[in-house]
C-alpha cells in the first residue's frame, strides 16, 4: 500500500523535522497566545461582553479608527497609483532615491514617525503653520489621525501596483491607440482594469495596517475620549486600569475584524496573481 | 500583510520599455503627474524625515550628543540590541525551517499554514502585547506560579523579547517561501544523488541559492525588531534604565517635553531606517542583476 501511495516519493530529508518545528513554534508564539484572548473573553457572559464592546466611548473609537483608516487607504489608493505610474513610466532626476524612500514607512519606527508628523503638522510646525491660519488644524484632531494612517499605509499601494504596471504589455496599449483610443480611454479601458486587483489588494493592505496602528497615531491624535481616541488606545487604557477582561473583549472585536480582512486580502491576492499570470 | 514586496518581483525591474509616442503622454502631462506625486510624497514622507534630523540638532551638537550618551539612553540602546539579537536568530531558524517544509514538500493544509504564518501581520501590535500579558501577567495563566518562583516575564526583558518575536514572526518565512518554491528541488535532489548528506545539501546548495532573499528578510526583521513600539509598550512597564527600549525612551522624553533629546534618539532610529532602505535597494539591485545574467545565459 505504502509504496503505491508514495509513487513520487520525495527523496529530500527533513520534512518531519522542519514541519514539526514550524508547527510547534507557530503554536507557542502565535496560536496559543492568541487563543488566550478568546478564552479570557469567555469569562464574560454575552450580555457583559456586548455592554463592554458597545459602550459609547468604544463605539466612538471604532468610528474614528475605521473612518480614518478608510480615508487614509483611499488617499493612498489614488496617490499610490499615481506614484507607481510615475515611477514605472517616467524618468526624472532622483527617481531611484524616491523609489527607495517609498518604503520609509515600513522601515521607520512608528514612534519616530509619530513625533515627526506631530512636529511638522502642529500649529508651529513647518506645514501646520501654513495650514492653521487658513483654519485647518491637523495635529491633535481626527485629521491628524488620518495623516498618520496615510503615512503608515503609503508603501502598500505603490508596491502592489508597481510590478503589475511593469509587466503590462506595450502591445495592448499600442493596439488601443491604433484603433483610435486616446490616452485617457486607453488608461480607463486597458490599464485600469489590468491593475485593478493589485490596486484593491494594496488598498486592503493599507486599510488593515491602519486599523491596528498605534505608535504613529497616539502622538498626533491628542487622544481626547469620544473625539480622537483610537481603538488600540482604548485597549491600552483599560489595561492600565487593570481591566484585563474589558481590554480583551475589545481586542477580540478587533481580532475578528483583522482575521476577516486577512481572508479578504488572501482572496484578493489570489485573484490578482491569477489575473496577472493570465495577462502574460 | 507585510506589504513587503518579494525580491523576485524586482527581477525584471530594470528592463525599461522604450515607448512610442502613441503610448505615452504629452510632456506637460508627464511633468504635472510627476509634480503631483512628488508633492504628495513631500508632504507625507520627505518633510517628516527632514524634521527628525532638524529637531534633533535644534539645540546644537552638544545637546544631541549628551542625549545619546546619558545612562538611560545607553541602557535603552542596549536593551533594543538584546531584544533584536534574540528575536532575529529565532525567527531566522523558524523562517528557514518553515520555508523548507512548505516549498520542498507537498502536504495537506499547506495554504492554511501559510495563512497562519501571516497572522501576526494582521494583529494590532497592541494586541500582540496584550496576549502575553494574559498568559504571563500577574492575573494570567502562569502568573501565580511565576510570582512564586520569582520569575518575571511581563514588565521585564523576556516579555519585550516575546513581543518582538511576535511582531517580526512572518518576515523571513514570507520572503523565503515564494523564493524556494520558484527554485524547486532539482538541485537538492541532484546533490543527494551525488552522495551528499541532507545537511551538506542544505549548506552547499540551498543556502547559496537563497542568500539574498534571506538577507532581505533579515534586514526587514531587524528594522522592525528595533523599532517596534506598540507591542513592546504594553509589556514593558516603562521602567527607566531597565525595561525601556529606544522607541519607548523616545516616547518618555517626548512626553517630558524634552524634544531635543527625544528627536536625538529618534534620529538614530531614523538613520537605522535609512541604512535598511539602502541595503534593501542594494539587494534588489543584486538580484535583478543576477536574474538578467541568468536570462542571458539561458539565451546563449
Amino acid at each position: 500500500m505504502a509504496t503505491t501511495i508514495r509513487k513520487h516519493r520525495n527523496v529530500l530529508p527533513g520534512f518531519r523535522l522542519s514541519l514539526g518545528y514550524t508547527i510547534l513554534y507557530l503554536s507557542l508564539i502565535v496560536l496559543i497566545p492568541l487563543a488566550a484572548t478568546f478564552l479570557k473573553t469567555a469569562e464574560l457572559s454575552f450580555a457583559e461582553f456586548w455592554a463592554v464592546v458597545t459602550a459609547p466611548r468604544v463605539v466612538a473609537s471604532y468610528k474614528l479608527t475605521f473612518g480614518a483608516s478608510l480615508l487614509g487607504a483611499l488617499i493612498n489608493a489614488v496617490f499610490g497609483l499615481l506614484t507607481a505610474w510615475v515611477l514605472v513610466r517616467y524618468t526624472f532626476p532622483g527617481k531611484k532615491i524616491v523609489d527607495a524612500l517609498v518604503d520609509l514607512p515600513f522601515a521607520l519606527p512608528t514612534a519616530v514617525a509619530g513625533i515627526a508628523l506631530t512636529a511638522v503638522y502642529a500649529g508651529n510646525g513647518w506645514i501646520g503653520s501654513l495650514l492653521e491660519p487658513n483654519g485647518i488644524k491637523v495635529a491633535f484632531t481626527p485629521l491628524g489621525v488620518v495623516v498618520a494612517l496615510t503615512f503608515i499605509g503609503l508603501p502598500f499601494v505603490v508596491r502592489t501596483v508597481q510590478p503589475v504596471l511593469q509587466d503590462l504589455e506595450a502591445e495592448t496599449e499600442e493596439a488601443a491607440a491604433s484603433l483610435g483610443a486616446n490616452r485617457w480611454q486607453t488608461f480607463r479601458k486597458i490599464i485600469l482594469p489590468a491593475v485593478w486587483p493589485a490596486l484593491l489588494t494594496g488598498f486592503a493592505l493599507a486599510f488593515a495596517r491602519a486599523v491596528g496602528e498605534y505608535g504613529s497615531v497616539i502622538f498626533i491624535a491628542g487622544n481626547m475620549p469620544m473625539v480622537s481616541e483610537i481603538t488600540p488606545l482604548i485597549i491600552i487604557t483599560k489595561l492600565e486600569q487593570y481591566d484585563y477582561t474589558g481590554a480583551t473583549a475589545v481586542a477580540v472585536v478587533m481580532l475578528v475584524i483583522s482575521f476577516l480582512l486577512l481572508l479578504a486580502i488572501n482572496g484578493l491576492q489570489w485573484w490578482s496573481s491569477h489575473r496577472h499570470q493570465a495577462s502574460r | 500583510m507585510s506589504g513587503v514586496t518579494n525580491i523576485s518581483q524586482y527581477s525584471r525591474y530594470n528592463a525599461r520599455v522604450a515607448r512610442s509616442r502613441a503610448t505615452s503622454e504629452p510632456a506637460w502631462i508627464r511633468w504635472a503627474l510627476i509634480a503631483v506625486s512628488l508633492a504628495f510624497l513631500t508632504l507625507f514622507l520627505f518633510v517628516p524625515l527632514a524634521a527628525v534630523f532638524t529637531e534633533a540638532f535644534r539645540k546644537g551638537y552638544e545637546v544631541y550628543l549628551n542625549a545619546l550618551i546619558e545612562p538611560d539612553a545607553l541602557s535603552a540602546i542596549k536593551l533594543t540590541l538584546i531584544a533584536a539579537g534574540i528575536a532575529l536568530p529565532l525567527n531566522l531558524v523558524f523562517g528557514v525551517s518553515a520555508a523548507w517544509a512548505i516549498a520542498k514538500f507537498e502536504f495537506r493544509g499547506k495554504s492554511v499554514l501559510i495563512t497562519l504564518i501571516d497572522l501576526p501581520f494582521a494583529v494590532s501590535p497592541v494586541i500582540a502585547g496584550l496576549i502575553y500579558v494574559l498568559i504571563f501577567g500577574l492575573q494570567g495563566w502562569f502568573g501565580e506560579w511565576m510570582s512564586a518562583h520569582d520569575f518575571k516575564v511581563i514588565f521585564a526583558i523576556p516579555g519585550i523579547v516575546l513581543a518582538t518575536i511576535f511582531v517580526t514572526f512572518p518576515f523571513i518565512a514570507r520572503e523565503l517561501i515564494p523564493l524556494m518554491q520558484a527554485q524547486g528541488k532539482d538541485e537538492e535532489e541532484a546533490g543527494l544523488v551525488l552522495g551528499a548528506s541532507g545537511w551538506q545539501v542544505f549548506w552547499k546548495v540551498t543556502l547559496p541559492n537563497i542568500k539574498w532573499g534571506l538577507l532581505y528578510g533579515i534586514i526587514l526583521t531587524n528594522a522592525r525588531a528595533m523599532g517596534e513600539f506598540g507591542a513592546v509598550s504594553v509589556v514593558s512597564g516603562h521602567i527607566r534604565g531597565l525595561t525601556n527600549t529606544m522607541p519607548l525612551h523616545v516616547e518618555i522624553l517626548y512626553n517630558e517635553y524634552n524634544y531635543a533629546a527625544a528627536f536625538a534618539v529618534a534620529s538614530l532610529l531614523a538613520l537605522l531606517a535609512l541604512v535598511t532602505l539602502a541595503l534593501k535597494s542594494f539587494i534588489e539591485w543584486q538580484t535583478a542583476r543576477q536574474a538578467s545574467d541568468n536570462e542571458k545565459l539561458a539565451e546563449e
Side-chain angles (χ1 to χ4, degrees):
Chain A
M1 268 298 273
T3 45
T4 50
I5 291 169
R6 296 187 192 167
K7 232 183 207 166
H8 300 284
R9 195 170 163 276
N10 202 327
V11 290
L12 289 184
F15 175 60
R16 276 160 197 242
L17 178 68
S18 59
L19 186 65
Y21 181 71
T22 300
I23 290 171
L24 177 74
Y25 190 74
L26 178 72
S27 306
L28 287 179
I29 299 287
V30 179
L31 300 181
I32 295 172
L34 277 179
T37 57
F38 292 92
L39 288 173
K40 182 82 183 171
T41 309
E43 290 173 10
L44 295 172
S45 73
F46 186 75
E48 288 169 317
F49 171 78
W50 193 250
V52 171
V53 300
T54 57
R57 191 171 157 184
V58 180
V59 171
S61 83
Y62 298 145
K63 283 182 187 158
L64 175 69
T65 303
F66 290 103
S69 300
L70 200 63
L71 216 56
L74 278 174
I75 294 172
N76 277 322
V78 173
F79 288 97
L81 175 62
L82 175 66
T83 302
W85 176 267
V86 163
L87 288 174
V88 171
R89 292 294 172 97
Y90 305 150
T91 46
F92 55 91
K95 185 173 120 169
K96 280 208 169 128
I97 295 173
V98 171
D99 195 355
L101 278 179
V102 164
D103 282 332
L104 186 71
F106 287 152
L108 194 69
T110 52
V112 178
I115 64 169
L117 288 169
T118 312
V120 169
Y121 284 93
N124 58 356
W126 289 342
I127 298 176
S129 61
L130 302 175
L131 295 174
E132 210 136 288
N134 299 307
I136 306 171
K137 277 191 71 144
V138 179
F140 317 122
T141 69
L143 196 57
V145 179
V146 176
V147 168
L149 296 181
T150 305
F151 173 88
I152 279 303
L154 199 149
F156 289 100
V157 173
V158 182
R159 292 306 186 221
T160 45
V161 171
Q162 214 173 6
V164 180
L165 274 180
Q166 200 95 46
D167 283 353
L168 220 55
E169 300 284 350
E171 282 91 337
T172 43
E173 286 175 55
E174 279 162 11
S178 70
L179 292 171
N182 63 29
R183 271 315 270 165
W184 176 242
Q185 284 171 323
T186 310
F187 177 77
R188 273 205 24 229
K189 300 270 163 86
I190 305 289
I191 298 168
L192 201 56
V195 299
W196 187 246
L199 186 62
L200 264 182
T201 307
F203 170 82
L205 284 167
F207 178 72
R209 171 72 206 262
V211 165
E213 178 55 21
Y214 173 72
S216 60
V217 177
I218 52 154
F219 294 98
I220 201 170
N223 307 326
M224 276 184 303
M226 307 297 292
V227 178
S228 58
E229 194 179 37
I230 53 167
T231 310
L233 183 63
I234 297 257
I235 297 175
I236 296 254
T237 313
K238 284 186 186 292
L239 270 180
E240 278 169 358
Q241 295 161 348
Y242 299 102
D243 178 10
Y244 286 23
T245 29
T248 312
V250 178
V252 162
V253 172
M254 289 203 74
L255 273 178
V256 169
I257 293 169
S258 300
F259 293 163
L260 293 177
L261 279 171
L262 182 66
L263 284 181
I265 289 165
N266 274 354
L268 278 172
Q269 267 166 345
W270 181 85
W271 182 36
S272 178
S273 68
H274 276 244
R275 278 280 293 272
H276 195 44
Q277 272 159 11
S279 72
R280 275 200 206 148
Chain B
M1 286 294 293
S2 72
V4 176
T5 12
N6 296 310
I7 47 172
S8 48
Q9 289 176 330
Y10 281 84
S11 45
R12 284 175 304 275
Y13 209 68
N14 42 12
R16 274 209 65 81
V17 188
R19 292 188 174 271
S20 66
R21 193 172 293 172
T23 54
S24 72
E25 291 75 40
W28 70 270
I29 291 186
R30 276 206 306 270
W31 285 107
L33 291 179
I34 292 173
V36 173
S37 165
L38 288 182
F40 168 71
L41 295 176
T42 305
L43 281 181
F44 284 96
L45 280 189
F46 306 148
V47 172
L49 181 63
V52 174
F53 293 98
T54 321
E55 295 287 332
F57 286 104
R58 180 156 289 199
K59 293 205 173 139
Y61 184 69
E62 216 161 288
V63 174
Y64 179 84
L65 211 62
N66 279 335
L68 297 184
I69 57 171
E70 54 112 5
D72 287 345
L74 284 180
S75 92
I77 294 172
K78 202 174 124 197
L79 182 54
T80 296
L81 292 175
I82 291 174
I86 299 174
L88 188 58
L90 286 176
N91 283 342
L92 180 65
V93 172
F94 163 74
V96 172
S97 152
W100 181 265
I102 288 169
K104 306 284 181 194
F105 299 92
E106 292 306 322
F107 55 91
R108 288 217 305 195
K110 194 194 257 192
S111 58
V112 176
L113 183 62
I114 296 176
T115 307
L116 289 177
I117 290 174
D118 267 354
L119 263 184
F121 280 147
V123 173
S124 172
V126 169
I127 297 175
L130 168 75
I131 57 178
Y132 295 113
V133 173
L134 290 181
I135 292 179
F136 298 109
L138 265 184
Q139 301 182 10
W141 292 354
F142 301 120
E144 262 173 51
W145 182 86
M146 282 194 311
S147 67
H149 291 76
D150 202 27
F151 181 63
K152 271 185 95 171
V153 172
I154 300 307
F155 305 149
I157 295 174
I160 291 173
V161 172
L162 269 176
T164 306
I165 292 175
F166 185 95
V167 293
T168 56
F169 186 87
F171 281 104
I172 294 174
R174 283 235 55 172
E175 206 50 59
L176 291 184
I177 290 168
L179 185 64
M180 283 167 71
Q181 273 175 335
Q183 284 170 350
K185 52 192 182 189
D186 296 353
E187 290 185 42
E188 279 85 357
E189 282 169 352
L192 286 174
V193 169
L194 292 172
S197 74
W199 284 112
Q200 278 175 324
V201 165
F202 176 75
W203 287 108
K204 303 242 161 110
V205 178
T206 309
L207 207 56
N209 276 340
I210 60 170
K211 66 176 180 218
W212 291 114
L214 198 60
L215 197 61
Y216 200 86
I218 288 173
I219 59 167
L220 291 179
T221 303
N222 182 59
R224 180 71 197 264
M226 290 193 173
E228 178 50 30
F229 177 74
V232 171
S233 166
V234 173
V235 295
S236 132
H238 303 88
I239 307 163
R240 258 194 137 135
L242 277 179
T243 61
N244 254 355
T245 61
M246 284 168 79
L248 297 176
H249 191 57
V250 169
E251 183 200 18
I252 287 187
L253 292 170
Y254 188 85
N255 288 341
E256 289 171 348
Y257 303 103
N258 193 350
Y259 294 138
F263 277 101
V265 180
S267 75
L268 275 192
L269 290 166
L271 208 61
L272 170 77
L274 291 177
V275 170
T276 302
L277 293 184
L279 280 172
K280 193 167 166 289
S281 300
F282 173 74
I283 295 171
E284 281 157 13
W285 174 73
Q286 279 289 332
T287 42
R289 213 191 50 169
Q290 246 171 23
S292 71
D293 281 357
N294 287 347
E295 263 170 46
K296 268 181 217 153
L297 273 179
E299 274 166 24
E300 276 168 18

